[in-house]
């Protein structure tokens, strides 16, 4: 389509194009289907607090939630699910529902409700993206919205209390992650070799959890143990989000991009493995030390690594 | 489906008797277990399970489909019952408040409606119109129909928890009389789902003579 598509969403950090799960889902889908999207990082809108981000604007349409945006893109012929069978399409819906029911509450909790995480990471980050004076109000609102959602959907009446729900939602999230990992197995994407809607959703929800550095990390730790899911996130990041830093891929070069992406994927897998093991050592000192190809480490890093290994 | 002997009892204060506030719940000896998930686990601990024959991937699929049904069908049913003004006024208020004397019937009905509306708003369904909700239900039924295909049950020969859940929702949708029949029509579009419900009803419910509201009559 010739009409320019603009996506307004929260910005990126920690190596991700966006820190907001739903924005990431839409961006990933656009990359997979080759839709040319111009990404606008929003900063001063009330819409973020009402959960209306991401927003897709074209010449005469404004579409707001991820599901609707994906539908709209499909109608414009940017369809990443073209090769899926009917049963796989049905499976997609089911797995998306699973993620929204089981994983989303825990992700919301990790980001917005857990006080350590919220005050040290989430709130400063969002506040830095929003101009004063909204930066004082919006993060608080988003946090309350998240808490509300968790309590209303998981809290059992008449006991709308957070403590009882916390343990349950984390258990559910861990189970959900295990199920996703089982389903992915050793394949590249969930349905064969080409990414689809389900991959976009899984990536959108897992990537922030995987990449953002939090003080309280029980869910992140669990995710890191599921190496095929980590590999999945890294693959997508490397192949689809590093090639064009501006976030645009011209529609005419789709096939060339696809081949290039496959080639770079192969190359990146090798360097990813090394990088990931390196990351693991640096971020999770409590894991037992592994044999690493130490060629990559400089003497300074080696020293800091051994220091971390010694610390509890 | 597990061939366990049960006695069904209707009580007005069922929601309050339940330990988690939700119906249905079962009362076994001196134990009370509520909601489908825990009940299934309880029955499994006693040695009866429908999903033992499934492998890991199939179990994952089953869980995913159960969540889909819960997410879409359950929420749509709640929406239709409590957020659609016509239905609320004519049917839901009267039905929900019927065991109680005035003014309690009105108060409790309004309270429940407020609770449900709050929940809808929290998950983003607050701004949906009835048409959008029906479209979602249609998508969900389509997914279920495609998954079922021509098989007798969702995981081929044996019924599982997913079959029980789907049957429960679809049967209710098909047999409840509402002011608006569109939800019912949406489900009827999928003939294999209809056949599925009939099959389960005939096999498991008519043997015990519980055919109080049969699908054939609607």
């Amino acid at each position: 389509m010739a009409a320019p598509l603009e996506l307004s969403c929260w910005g990126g950090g920690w190596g991700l194009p966006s820190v907001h799960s739903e924005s990431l889902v839409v961006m990933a889908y656009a990359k997979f289907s080759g839709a040319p999207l111009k990404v606008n990082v929003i900063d001063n809108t009330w819409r973020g607090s009402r959960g209306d981000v991401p927003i897709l604007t074209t010449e005469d349409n404004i579409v707001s939630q991820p599901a609707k945006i994906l539908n709209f893109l499909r109608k414009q012929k940017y369809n990443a699910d073209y090769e899926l069978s009917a049963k796989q399409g049905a499976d997609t819906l089911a797995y998306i529902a699973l993620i929204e029911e089981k994983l989303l509450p825990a992700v919301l909790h990790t980001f917005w409700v857990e006080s350590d995480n919220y005050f040290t990471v989430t709130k400063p980050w969002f506040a830095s993206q929003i101009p004063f004076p909204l930066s004082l109000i919006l993060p608080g609102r988003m946090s309350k919205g998240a808490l509300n959602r968790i309590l209303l959907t998981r809290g059992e009446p008449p006991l709308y209390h957070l403590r009882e729900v916390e343990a349950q939602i984390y258990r559910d999230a861990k189970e959900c992650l295990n199920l996703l990992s089982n389903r992915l197995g050793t394949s590249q994407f969930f349905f064969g070799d080409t990414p689809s809607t389900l991959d976009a959703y899984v990536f959108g929800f897992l990537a922030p959890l995987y990449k953002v550095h939090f003080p309280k990390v029980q869910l992140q730790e669990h995710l890191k143990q599921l190496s095929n899911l980590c590999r999945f996130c890294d693959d997508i990041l490397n192949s689809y989000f590093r090639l064009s830093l501006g976030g645009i891929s011209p529609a005419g070069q789709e096939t060339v991009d696809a081949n290039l992406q496959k080639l770079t994927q192969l190359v990146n897998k090798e360097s990813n493995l090394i990088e990931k093991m390196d990351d693991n050592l640096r971020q999770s000192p409590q894991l037992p030390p592994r044999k690493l190809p130490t060629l990559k480490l400089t003497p300074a890093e080696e020293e800091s690594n051994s220091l971390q290994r010694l610390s509890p | 489906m597990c061939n366990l002997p049960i006695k069904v009892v209707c009580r007005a204060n069922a929601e309050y008797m339940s330990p988690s506030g939700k119906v249905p719940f079962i009362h076994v000896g001196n134990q009370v277990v509520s909601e489908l998930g825990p009940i299934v686990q309880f029955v499994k601990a006693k040695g009866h399970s429908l999903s033992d024959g499934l492998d890991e991937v199939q179990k994952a699929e089953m869980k995913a489909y159960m969540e889909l049904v819960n997410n879409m069908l359950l929420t749509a049913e709640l929406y239709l019952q409590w957020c659609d003004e016509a239905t609320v006024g004519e049917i839901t208020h009267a039905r929900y408040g019927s065991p109680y004397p005035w003014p309690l019937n009105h108060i409790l009905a309004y309270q429940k409606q407020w609770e449900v509306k709050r929940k809808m708003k929290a998950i983003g369904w607050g701004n949906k119109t009835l048409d959008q909700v029906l479209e979602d239900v249609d998508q969900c039924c389509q997914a279920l129909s495609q998954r079922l295909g021509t098989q007798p049950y969702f995981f081929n020969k044996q019924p599982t928890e997913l079959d029980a859940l789907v049957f429960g929702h679809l049967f209710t949708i098909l047999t409840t009389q509402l002011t608006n029949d569109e939800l019912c029509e949406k489900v009827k579009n999928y003939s294999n789902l209809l056949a599925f419900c009939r099959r389960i009803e005939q096999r498991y419910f008519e043997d015990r003579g519980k055919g109080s509201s049969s699908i054939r009559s609607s």
Side-chain angles (χ1 to χ4, degrees), chain B residues 142-153:
Chain B
Q142 195 183 30
L144 288 173
S145 176
Q146 280 164 353
R147 180 66 181 81
L148 183 62
T150 47
Q151 299 168 334
Y153 299 107

Side-chain angles (χ1 to χ4, degrees), chain A residues 86 90-91 101-102 153 156-157, chain B residues 20 35 64-65 67 123 143 146:
Chain A
D91 278 350
E101 275 290 310
K102 299 272 179 181
T153 52
E156 323 274 79
Chain B
S20 72
E35 287 192 75
Y65 274 97
E67 286 309 323
I123 58 173
Q146 280 164 353

Side-chain angles (χ1 to χ4, degrees), chain B residues 15-28:
Chain B
E15 277 185 347
Y16 297 104
M17 282 205 284
S18 153
S20 72
K22 297 220 170 117
V23 286
F25 66 93
I26 57 173
H27 183 197
V28 178

Side-chain angles (χ1 to χ4, degrees), chain A residues 65 68 71 86-87 89-91 93-95 97-98 100-102 148-149 152-153 155-158 160 175 179 182-183, chain B residues 20-22 35 56-57 59-61 63-65 67-68 71-72 115 118-119 122-124 132 139-140 143-144 146-147:
Chain A
Q65 284 164 350
K68 289 193 202 150
N71 266 342
K87 180 177 173 306
D91 278 350
L93 269 186
Y95 276 101
L98 184 71
E100 282 186 357
E101 275 290 310
K102 299 272 179 181
N148 237 359
R149 182 170 176 152
L152 284 180
T153 52
E156 323 274 79
Y160 284 115
E175 205 194 303
L179 290 177
N182 277 340
R183 178 69 182 74
Chain B
S20 72
K22 297 220 170 117
E35 287 192 75
E56 287 304 319
V57 176
K59 278 195 185 149
E61 262 189 51
K63 288 218 166 81
Y65 274 97
E67 286 309 323
L68 179 67
N71 208 349
M72 293 264 177
E115 253 182 56
R118 224 174 121 204
K119 184 171 165 182
I123 58 173
Q132 286 170 334
Q139 249 191 2
C140 178
L144 288 173
Q146 280 164 353
R147 180 66 181 81

Side-chain angles (χ1 to χ4, degrees), chain B residues 139-172:
Chain B
Q139 249 191 2
C140 178
C141 289
Q142 195 183 30
L144 288 173
S145 176
Q146 280 164 353
R147 180 66 181 81
L148 183 62
T150 47
Q151 299 168 334
Y153 299 107
F154 277 96
F155 287 96
N156 218 357
K157 300 286 189 279
Q158 295 297 323
T160 55
E161 285 89 8
L162 178 60
D163 301 280
L165 185 67
V166 172
F167 173 71
H169 281 284
L170 292 183
F171 187 78
T172 319

Side-chain angles (χ1 to χ4, degrees), chain A:
Chain A
M1 293 291 292
L5 303 169
E6 276 190 29
L7 182 71
S8 312
C9 59
W10 292 109
W14 291 281
L16 296 173
S18 169
V19 173
H20 187 227
S21 293
E22 292 172 350
S23 315
L24 210 49
V25 168
V26 176
M27 280 201 223
Y29 185 81
K31 292 278 175 182
F32 296 160
S33 60
L37 271 197
K38 185 162 163 306
V39 178
N40 275 339
V41 174
I42 55 161
D43 49 4
N44 57 350
T45 166
W46 279 100
R47 290 206 197 140
S49 68
R50 269 184 260 139
D52 273 2
V53 172
I55 303 170
L56 185 71
T57 32
T58 62
E59 283 175 350
D60 32 50
N61 273 329
I62 298 184
V63 193
S64 71
Q65 284 164 350
K68 289 193 202 150
I69 297 180
L70 259 48
N71 266 342
F72 181 79
L73 286 177
R74 270 184 219 122
K75 288 199 187 113
Q76 307 285 335
K77 316 275 187 216
Y78 296 113
N79 193 350
D81 292 340
Y82 198 64
E83 296 170 1
L84 295 184
S85 70
K87 180 177 173 306
Q88 287 173 327
D91 278 350
T92 303
L93 269 186
Y95 276 101
I96 292 175
L98 184 71
I99 294 177
E100 282 186 357
E101 275 290 310
K102 299 272 179 181
L103 191 57
L104 180 60
V107 171
L108 281 180
H109 187 272
T110 308
F111 269 80
W112 293 99
V113 180
E114 176 72 57
S115 16
D116 277 351
N117 294 344
Y118 174 60
F119 286 110
T120 53
V121 177
T122 323
K123 187 166 176 188
W125 190 86
F126 274 90
S128 68
Q129 302 274 315
I130 309 170
F132 185 88
L134 281 180
S135 61
L136 295 178
I137 312 172
L138 269 194
R141 262 187 168 224
M142 291 171 80
S143 170
K144 281 209 191 82
L147 182 62
N148 237 359
R149 182 170 176 152
I150 294 175
L151 285 183
L152 284 180
T153 52
R154 309 299 253 148
E156 323 274 79
L159 304 163
Y160 284 115
H161 205 272
L162 188 60
R163 291 278 150 247
E164 283 120 27
V165 190
E166 258 175 24
Q168 178 67 26
I169 57 178
Y170 275 106
R171 231 191 332 238
D172 281 343
K174 285 178 187 163
E175 205 194 303
C176 180
L177 288 177
N178 290 341
L179 290 177
L180 286 176
S181 181
N182 277 340
R183 178 69 182 74
L184 180 62
T186 47
S187 43
Q188 173 81 4
F189 296 109
F190 276 91
F191 295 119
D193 290 332
T194 47
S196 61
T197 311
L198 181 58
D199 301 286
Y201 267 92
V202 174
F203 175 68
F205 283 100
L206 289 188
L209 195 60
Y210 176 43
K211 289 286 182 182
V212 179
H213 295 176
F214 286 120
K216 285 262 178 74
V217 286
Q218 53 159 321
L219 199 55
Q220 201 177 45
E221 292 299 317
H222 189 89
L223 175 60
K224 285 189 180 158
Q225 288 169 12
L226 298 168
S227 54
N228 61 349
L229 291 180
C230 298
R231 191 241 325 142
F232 171 78
C233 288
D234 282 328
D235 276 348
I236 295 187
L237 267 179
N238 285 330
S239 0
Y240 291 93
F241 288 104
R242 252 175 230 181
L243 284 186
S244 38
L245 290 173
I248 317 170
S249 64
Q253 288 187 340
E254 262 176 51
T255 43
V256 176
D257 266 348
N259 283 333
L260 190 57
Q261 279 160 15
K262 286 206 170 90
L263 197 57
T264 32
Q265 264 173 38
L266 283 172
V267 170
N268 281 332
K269 263 185 205 159
E270 292 298 315
S271 56
N272 261 351
L273 209 54
I274 299 175
E275 248 184 58
K276 197 182 44 150
M277 290 200 284
D278 204 18
D279 265 348
N280 264 338
L281 242 192
R282 253 179 256 161
Q283 286 163 24
S284 327
Q286 62 267 33
L287 287 179
R290 299 189 207 170
K291 291 228 173 78
L292 269 197
T294 49
L295 299 170
K296 230 189 144 206
L297 294 177
T298 65
E301 286 173 291
E302 223 171 343
E303 198 184 65
S304 64
N305 265 344
S306 54
L307 273 178
Q308 276 182 334
R309 257 183 253 171
L310 288 176
S311 63

